[in-house]
Amino acid sequence: MEDSDSEKKMEKENLGPRMDPSLGEPEGSLGWALPNTAMKKKVLLMGKSGSGKTSMRSIIFANYIARDTRRLGATILDRLHSLQINSSLSTYSLVDSVGNTKTFDVEHSHVRFLGNLVLNLWDCGGQDTFMENYFTSQRDNIFRNVEVLIYVFDVESRELEKDMHYYQSCLEAILQNSPDAKIFCLVHKMDLVQEDQRDLIFKEREEDLRRLSRPLECSCFRTSIWDETLYKAWSSIVYQLIPNVQQLERNLRNFAEIIEADEVLLFERATFLVISHYQCKEQRDAHRFEKISNIIKQFKLSCSKLAASFQSMEVRNSNFAAFIDIFTSNTYVMVVMSDPSIPSAATLINIRNARKHFEKLERVDGPKQCLLMR
Amino acid sequence: MTNMDNDSRHLLIPEVDHEINPGPMNIQFDSSDLRSKRPFYIEPTNIVSVNEGIQRVSDHASAMNKRIHYYSRLTTPADKALIAPDHVVPAPEECYVYSPLGSAYKLQGYAEGYGKNTSLVTIFMIWNTMMGTSILSIPWGIKQAGFTTGMCIIILMGLLTLYCCYRVVKSRAMISSVDITTWEYPDVCRYYFGSFGQWSSLLFSLVSLIGAMIVYWVLMSNFLFNTGKFIFNFIHHINDTDAVLSTNDSNPVICPSAGNGGHPDNSSMIFYANDTGLQQFEKWWNKSKTVPLYLIGLLLPLLNFKSPSFFSKFNILGTVSVVYLIFLVTLKAIRLGFHLEFHWFMPTEFFVPEIRFQFPQLTGVLTLAFFIHNCIITLLKNNKNQENNVRDLSIAYMLVTLTYLYIGILVFASFPSPPLPKDCIEQNFLDNFPSSDILSFIARIFLLFQMMTVYPLLGYLARVQLLGHVFGDVYPSIFHVFILNLIIVGAGVIMACFYPNIGGIIRYSGAACGLAFVFIYPSLTYIIYLHQEERLTWPKLIFHVFIMTLGLANLISQFFM
């Protein structure tokens, strides 16, 4: 299962370079050939270095942060001798001047979600001149096939002009290469701003960003990893990426009513972001989505330490029973029943039957085997 | 998506407990080993105290809790990236033990250092810590300054050191950027003045400690000598009258330094030259030649202990000694009566003028007598109601001033002046009572025991500070520690043999370390803080510079007056 694979990959040296392989580049140069990139659409997570992208990705995708994730850097590439690509395994090896071989995963991001989306992290406007140059030279490749651009701004940054400048150059590249991409701007680290000032500062930034982004449309969120805003922002992003979400919600409601559940949630598989949910009565805890997501991601991390992968969970007590299980190829479902007299087997059979129905729903939406379509 | 924007920021929602049976959750597993499948459950006995009415954790707090748990799994323990910063974590007094069932328990005393002691206990602890051996020199100090001047100086010094102590207490609150909860005053000095501040505060702190230890050694030799002499005389039924000036009644008061031109001498002259046994005793039990050395055998081993926590149990002896001294002085005053005459400028045969130019000697002694600035922060940390800190500190200072005034005035006033000049008041006022006096014998015994238990504590403090800063390790090796102890003990012995003027030692070391901790650092850090806040006004600047000059003048005048 791809979950366990990606967990295992995470635990190794995460020294994958953040260089986007392009098609058809000759070997021996600084490009790589990658099979089957045509199908994958990218989610670009960009922002100044130090704005919190790595932590954000780690939290949302339950990646263990190996802090040594520095880019290759000029020093290693200087000693780069030859370049080999093992296309079937989608890895490549570098042999440096001393004869040491280093193997890197081309899919350096390790994270795929919503079917065919691949997350790429880029530091925009960093100090590293090597990366700057590479970024500029490979710009078109980087910005091709982009589905979503998520740009992260550090609210405490002192160089607003520079930030906006980099943001605009990214937008230009998007306009040229992927004009249909959705743009999201996250104003991050809001916990460092005093509470009474947060709304004001965010509104200011939002206006500026909206203005600068024309003719493209951007949605802005204010986020912080220390409250629920990060999860909500990413859930909103994911929600907007699903084209048939209303239909999904209708079906979910039918499902819930048929099986007499209190609440049914649909999670995205990799991130446990809530795609949609239906509740038939008022729930007390407004933070429950994020809490469940964190609990399950933590559990997944524990499972991966044992080289096991999380598949399903049942929690019962005298007041309720909750079932978390794989649903479709991109989603998990959570069913909460408050009638504990209904045996588990009945609910599990219901979930299994619903699974077939929802998978058909996904496939109906187009020739591509993914939830997302253009 | 649901709109979850309006969260209550309260951590606890007082609510009726819906859990009728807050026991372990029912599990519908068919498991043979049910215990292994039981969920996490806190035994009620492990919880120290429960707030009345079980309160539920708010959703916001439990979400934060889950978040922090999850983030901590994402990085290595060494990585600081995902550690919750202070401004998102609730304050220590708002932290609860959270049971997964949703109930929250507050553990009493969980927040370390907050609020265990009532005001009364805090005041008593401050008073107890400040009451040192300088109490024995206060009457001499009053004598040196003149009676009226002495009283005024005691009150004024009390107020001045109180203000500086208040500045010390407030100094931590002026630092907002760093976590200061474990900081003591030397750390604040280091923050403001860099490593110069750190080393100078270390130096001055050592000056006060080693000065105190030398004084202790001198006093201990003195008391041990007198105790030994009393016991010897008691056993051999010797009615010993020293050939020193003394009053001839049932409450003898002696003037040991009368025949020696004002220099206190540790030899006592006994005119029993034809008794060889006594002469032998005299030879082997001499205040300045042998007794200080006997103490080495007693105390040097004690100094080498790694942790003197055993000795801190005897802290109560200090209070008992002071209370007994007060009782003793009162009794003597009742018996001796008051002998006061007021001559303003000219000394007479028996009395000293009211205003004398040697008053800096009193200020020097008082600087050490009112010195607590290097540990006041720690003492006030445990105060239950932190907002009463200043009030409690002021009350403690007032009590200390009253105690000093009481003892000083009574001893001075009751000193029998017609036969003996007031100038006879010794630097250690117990020296004015002969060794045969039972009451002062008891006082000496108390003080001897108290000092013997405090001495290793002082040695430990000096060792921790010096070795900790110089070598980085509190106990680098027995060799280092032994050398240090030898030096300290050696200094004490030398002083006891050749210069046993505790008044002198106290005033020099007091003025020196007071210069830094009492006068200069508090004022200077306050001026710097105001300057950074741009609230520095001319009156404040002048006032604090004046305080600093006073401290400097205090030190310099010790050498001239």
Side-chain angles (χ1 to χ4, degrees):
Chain A
M1 283 192 27
E2 61 202 30
D3 278 348
S4 64
D5 285 346
S6 53
E7 315 289 346
K8 281 193 194 134
K9 276 191 210 161
M10 269 184 259
E11 305 279 304
K12 288 196 294 198
E13 269 186 33
N14 202 353
L15 281 177
R18 302 196 193 99
M19 298 180 207
D20 191 15
S22 62
L23 301 167
E25 293 269 351
E27 283 190 11
S29 71
L30 286 175
W32 293 265
L34 177 70
N36 301 327
T37 40
M39 291 300 293
K40 300 216 166 54
K41 292 243 173 196
K42 291 183 231 162
V43 172
L44 294 184
L45 183 59
M46 306 188 103
K48 217 168 66 160
S49 81
S51 52
K53 303 183 295 300
T54 313
S55 300
M56 203 188 278
R57 181 188 70 173
S58 162
I59 289 168
I60 297 288
F61 291 89
N63 276 2
Y64 184 79
I65 305 182
R67 267 301 156 182
D68 226 322
T69 57
R70 296 295 160 215
R71 52 200 74 138
L72 271 184
T75 48
I76 301 181
L77 282 168
D78 283 344
R79 292 181 286 145
L80 165 55
H81 216 66
S82 76
L83 185 57
Q84 291 165 324
I85 294 170
N86 189 339
S87 40
S88 59
L89 293 176
S90 69
T91 56
Y92 66 92
S93 336
L94 293 175
V95 182
D96 64 12
S97 49
V98 199
N100 300 326
T101 315
K102 270 178 147 32
T103 313
F104 300 99
D105 297 306
V106 180
E107 300 244 299
H108 48 270
S109 59
H110 299 294
V111 278
R112 289 192 259 166
F113 68 118
L114 278 182
N116 71 337
L117 291 181
V118 173
L119 185 79
N120 286 16
L121 230 89
W122 284 100
D123 277 354
C124 215
Q127 304 300 331
D128 194 331
T129 45
F130 170 77
M131 286 310 290
E132 283 260 14
N133 292 335
Y134 188 75
F135 189 74
T136 347
S137 66
Q138 293 288 316
R139 221 164 79 126
D140 290 337
N141 285 328
I142 294 172
F143 285 96
R144 206 171 290 158
N145 267 339
V146 169
E147 187 65 39
V148 177
L149 168 67
I150 304 177
Y151 204 93
V152 179
F153 294 93
D154 183 347
V155 75
E156 282 215 316
S157 155
R158 306 285 168 124
E159 306 169 319
L160 279 178
E161 289 294 316
K162 243 174 117 186
D163 294 345
M164 294 306 177
H165 167 73
Y166 283 121
Y167 175 60
Q168 279 185 307
S169 54
C170 289
L171 285 184
E172 279 166 31
I174 287 275
L175 210 50
Q176 278 172 12
N177 297 293
S178 313
D180 294 331
K182 292 206 170 78
I183 319 258
F184 297 96
C185 295
L186 300 183
V187 183
H188 196 51
K189 303 196 187 173
M190 285 301 280
D191 57 280
L192 295 171
V193 177
Q194 276 186 327
E195 242 182 285
D196 44 4
Q197 306 218 342
R198 284 179 197 170
D199 283 330
L200 199 63
I201 292 188
F202 174 64
K203 281 215 166 38
E204 264 182 60
R205 293 293 185 92
E206 193 179 12
E207 276 171 26
D208 286 339
L209 288 169
R210 285 250 168 84
R211 196 173 23 98
L212 284 172
S213 310
R214 294 205 198 104
L216 295 163
E217 301 254 331
C218 79
S219 318
C220 297
F221 298 93
R222 57 170 233 213
T223 58
S224 158
I225 61 175
W226 296 110
D227 56 30
E228 70 286 356
T229 48
L230 183 69
Y231 186 81
K232 276 162 67 176
W234 276 80
S235 292
S236 306
I237 292 174
V238 162
Y239 188 79
Q240 291 183 44
L241 295 182
I242 301 173
N244 58 343
V245 71
Q246 268 81 22
Q247 194 185 21
L248 214 60
E249 280 178 329
R250 271 199 306 274
N251 281 281
L252 215 62
R253 178 201 214 108
N254 291 340
F255 173 53
E257 281 167 1
I258 291 171
I259 65 172
E260 293 172 25
D262 268 17
E263 188 167 14
V264 176
L265 303 166
L266 210 58
F267 291 107
E268 193 280 324
R269 200 165 200 188
T271 60
F272 275 86
L273 295 165
V274 172
I275 297 176
S276 83
H277 78 290
Y278 169 74
Q279 66 196 57
C280 71
K281 53 178 172 169
E282 272 308 298
Q283 298 291 339
R284 189 191 71 214
D285 188 354
H287 292 275
R288 60 192 187 283
F289 301 143
E290 189 201 356
K291 270 158 62 170
I292 292 172
S293 167
N294 287 345
I295 292 173
I296 298 180
K297 284 190 279 198
Q298 197 173 331
F299 186 60
K300 273 172 75 170
L301 285 173
S302 306
C303 289
S304 72
K305 287 216 169 114
L306 302 169
S309 64
F310 168 65
Q311 189 168 336
S312 68
M313 190 192 280
E314 174 184 341
V315 180
R316 291 191 91 93
N317 88 2
S318 53
N319 296 328
F320 79 100
F323 302 85
I324 303 174
D325 207 342
I326 298 178
F327 210 43
T328 65
S329 53
N330 303 314
T331 55
Y332 264 78
V333 72
M334 175 170 179
V335 173
V336 182
M337 321 274 291
S338 62
D339 185 356
S341 65
I342 299 177
S344 320
T347 318
L348 289 170
I349 290 181
N350 285 331
I351 293 178
R352 186 153 51 111
N353 293 336
R355 191 176 290 148
K356 297 183 194 144
H357 175 83
F358 276 83
E359 273 174 7
K360 256 191 265 166
L361 211 61
E362 282 185 19
R363 252 177 272 134
V364 156
D365 289 324
K368 296 195 184 147
Q369 287 148 14
C370 57
L371 200 55
L372 212 51
M373 61 174 266
R374 272 277 142 245
Chain B
M1 302 294 271
T2 52
N3 189 4
M4 308 175 213
D5 276 336
N6 301 320
D7 278 334
S8 156
R9 284 279 150 184
H10 298 294
L11 281 174
L12 287 186
I13 303 169
E15 220 184 71
V16 172
D17 183 18
H18 293 305
E19 298 164 350
I20 304 149
N21 176 23
M25 295 195 259
N26 290 337
I27 300 179
Q28 295 189 6
F29 286 129
D30 264 331
S31 166
S32 51
D33 187 3
L34 207 59
R35 283 172 71 87
S36 72
K37 295 281 205 296
R38 278 175 71 170
F40 179 71
Y41 172 66
I42 302 176
E43 303 286 343
T45 48
N46 288 340
I47 295 178
V48 174
S49 90
V50 176
N51 281 344
E52 52 284 335
I54 298 181
Q55 298 177 302
R56 291 202 81 87
V57 178
S58 73
D59 306 326
H60 166 74
S62 69
M64 182 56 137
N65 177 299
K66 263 287 135 247
R67 215 174 279 138
I68 292 181
H69 272 193
Y70 168 54
Y71 292 178
S72 68
R73 299 296 304 280
L74 290 173
T75 63
T76 58
D79 193 351
K80 304 256 189 300
L82 291 181
I83 293 190
D86 284 337
H87 59 276
V88 301
V89 176
E93 57 267 11
E94 288 180 32
C95 279
Y96 291 79
V97 172
Y98 165 44
S99 126
L101 302 176
S103 351
Y105 298 98
K106 189 165 196 175
L107 294 180
Q108 202 124 68
Y110 161 74
E112 182 205 326
Y114 276 91
K116 287 182 298 200
N117 296 337
T118 57
S119 280
L120 213 56
V121 174
T122 308
I123 293 175
F124 172 71
M125 274 173 48
I126 299 177
W127 180 90
N128 197 22
T129 312
M130 262 203 273
M131 281 289 151
T133 50
S134 31
I135 199 176
L136 297 171
S137 303
I138 301 274
W140 170 81
I142 293 185
K143 183 255 295 184
Q144 291 295 98
F147 186 67
T148 325
T149 323
M151 287 211 299
C152 298
I153 286 183
I154 291 181
I155 296 175
L156 287 176
M157 277 297 283
L159 287 173
L160 183 61
T161 45
L162 172 61
Y163 174 72
C164 296
C165 206
Y166 166 74
R167 278 284 147 243
V168 168
V169 171
K170 288 287 174 221
S171 65
R172 276 197 325 170
M174 305 186 315
I175 301 171
S176 50
S177 52
V178 195
D179 176 24
I180 38 127
T181 40
T182 52
W183 280 21
E184 246 301 346
Y185 194 59
D187 300 310
V188 177
C189 295
R190 189 187 61 216
Y191 174 80
Y192 275 103
F193 305 119
S195 75
F196 169 76
Q198 185 187 9
W199 288 104
S200 59
S201 66
L202 170 69
L203 179 69
F204 285 109
S205 177
L206 279 179
V207 163
S208 76
L209 274 176
I210 295 186
M213 289 174 81
I214 293 176
V215 168
Y216 270 47
W217 198 274
V218 172
L219 283 175
M220 280 193 287
S221 340
N222 180 326
F223 294 148
L224 187 59
F225 170 76
N226 281 311
T227 310
K229 203 159 103 152
F230 177 90
I231 294 176
F232 183 81
N233 292 346
F234 189 73
I235 292 175
H236 293 236
H237 300 288
I238 297 170
N239 194 359
D240 156 67
T241 49
D242 297 340
V244 290
L245 206 50
S246 131
T247 57
N248 299 321
D249 57 4
S250 52
N251 298 307
V253 175
I254 61 175
C255 190
S257 50
N260 299 325
H263 290 288
D265 188 4
N266 280 326
S267 63
S268 60
M269 306 175 287
I270 299 181
F271 282 8
Y272 286 86
N274 50 0
D275 188 335
T276 47
L278 205 51
Q279 213 172 21
Q280 277 287 78
F281 175 72
E282 250 294 280
K283 195 165 127 200
W284 289 109
W285 196 255
N286 185 304
K287 201 195 276 191
S288 59
K289 297 205 179 67
T290 53
V291 175
L293 300 171
Y294 298 152
L295 274 178
I296 298 181
L298 222 56
L299 289 173
L300 191 56
L302 292 182
L303 275 184
N304 292 320
F305 277 123
K306 252 194 190 143
S307 157
S309 47
F310 167 72
F311 298 105
S312 55
K313 296 194 200 337
F314 292 97
N315 211 11
I316 193 68
L317 272 181
T319 325
V320 172
S321 315
V322 172
V323 169
Y324 181 77
L325 274 180
I326 295 176
F327 161 73
L328 167 79
V329 159
T330 318
L331 200 59
K332 292 284 180 191
I334 292 174
R335 287 190 190 163
L336 291 169
F338 274 24
H339 308 268
L340 277 178
E341 260 182 43
F342 293 93
H343 305 269
W344 288 98
F345 291 105
M346 302 308 297
T348 63
E349 188 198 350
F350 294 116
F351 291 97
V352 293
E354 296 304 306
I355 304 176
R356 292 180 84 182
F357 282 113
Q358 283 109 321
F359 70 85
Q361 302 193 359
L362 178 61
T363 59
V365 170
L366 287 176
T367 315
L368 199 60
F370 284 117
F371 185 76
I372 196 179
H373 298 58
N374 58 352
C375 58
I376 185 67
I377 294 179
T378 313
L379 285 175
L380 284 177
K381 235 199 270 204
N382 288 323
N383 203 4
K384 195 182 266 184
N385 301 325
Q386 291 284 306
E387 57 273 6
N388 288 337
N389 273 353
V390 178
R391 182 199 74 174
D392 294 342
L393 182 66
S394 316
I395 294 177
Y397 257 85
M398 196 181 69
L399 287 178
V400 169
T401 315
L402 282 176
T403 317
Y404 285 151
L405 274 177
Y406 183 79
I407 292 199
I409 292 176
L410 275 190
V411 172
F412 185 88
S414 65
F415 196 77
S417 265
L420 301 172
K422 290 281 190 201
D423 228 353
C424 277
I425 298 180
E426 284 294 305
Q427 297 188 5
N428 165 12
F429 76 79
L430 284 178
D431 273 347
N432 283 112
F433 300 111
S435 50
S436 54
D437 181 30
I438 288 251
L439 287 174
S440 46
F441 164 72
I442 298 176
R444 290 188 186 110
I445 292 257
F446 268 134
L447 282 170
L448 182 63
F449 275 121
Q450 187 239 339
M451 284 191 238
M452 287 212 284
T453 57
V454 176
Y455 194 78
L457 282 175
L458 291 179
Y460 173 74
L461 280 176
R463 185 207 319 158
V464 159
Q465 292 192 7
L466 186 60
L467 295 183
H469 277 100
V470 172
F471 294 107
D473 180 9
V474 170
Y475 204 91
S477 74
I478 183 82
F479 183 65
H480 288 97
V481 172
F482 192 68
I483 297 283
L484 177 66
N485 293 339
L486 268 186
I487 295 175
I488 296 177
V489 168
V493 170
I494 291 174
M495 284 299 192
C497 293
F498 299 110
Y499 189 75
N501 307 339
I502 61 163
I505 302 170
I506 288 178
R507 67 189 175 93
Y508 284 119
S509 60
C513 82
L515 175 71
F517 279 113
V518 177
F519 295 105
I520 293 203
Y521 283 151
S523 310
L524 200 54
T525 54
Y526 187 58
I527 291 178
I528 293 178
Y529 165 72
L530 285 181
H531 183 66
Q532 281 172 354
E533 297 269 310
E534 291 173 32
R535 286 194 289 146
L536 189 59
T537 60
W538 279 108
K540 283 193 181 148
L541 182 65
I542 293 179
F543 177 63
H544 288 92
V545 168
F546 176 63
I547 290 182
M548 292 198 278
T549 0
L550 275 184
L552 203 57
N554 188 18
L555 178 62
I556 294 176
S557 56
Q558 299 305 321
F559 295 96
F560 293 114
M561 300 287 204

